[in-house]
Amino acid sequence: MKEVHCIKLGTSLEGLERAPYPGDLGKRILDSVSKEAWQMWLDHQTMLINENNLNLFDESSQSYLKEQMKNYFFSEQDIDQIEGYTPK
């Protein structure tokens, strides 16, 4: 088990087994995001896809999700929220 200091949750947790995204961004996620935080992102991403009716074959949808993912983990910028959804 690989452990990382999770940038999202601020503590040492089990890391991902492989990069979940290609290129430098994938390596950055692999090195600094825990499995738990990655699952949180996947749940949020699913809501973004559904709420915004995104077509994952559309390049603009892919770019939007990539920017949201970068903001979710590595930016002080706010991520888009789901209308009517209140996190627990």
Side-chain angles (χ1 to χ4, degrees):
M1 176 185 92
K2 176 183 144 187
E3 200 167 282
V4 297
H5 184 79
C6 182
I7 195 164
K8 184 73 177 172
L9 300 175
T11 188
S12 290
L13 294 164
E14 184 178 354
L16 297 165
E17 294 172 18
R18 61 184 175 81
Y21 200 84
D24 290 339
L25 179 57
K27 177 161 179 19
R28 192 170 173 200
I29 291 168
L30 180 65
D31 292 342
S32 59
V33 174
S34 68
K35 278 186 176 181
E36 183 179 347
W38 181 251
Q39 186 59 54
M40 291 166 56
W41 160 250
L42 292 178
D43 294 343
H44 185 77
Q45 175 182 253
T46 299
M47 288 189 289
L48 288 173
I49 291 167
N50 292 337
E51 188 69 23
N52 296 309
N53 295 315
L54 298 180
N55 176 354
L56 298 181
F57 294 107
D58 182 45
E59 210 170 300
S60 65
S61 293
Q62 293 172 19
S63 294
Y64 168 76
L65 288 173
K66 181 179 180 181
E67 282 306 307
Q68 289 297 304
M69 180 173 54
K70 288 193 313 194
N71 291 347
Y72 188 83
F73 291 117
F74 305 114
S75 177
E76 298 298 315
Q77 279 186 291
D78 288 336
I79 57 171
D80 287 353
Q81 297 299 316
I82 308 303
E83 284 188 43
Y85 174 73
T86 306
K88 295 178 184 175

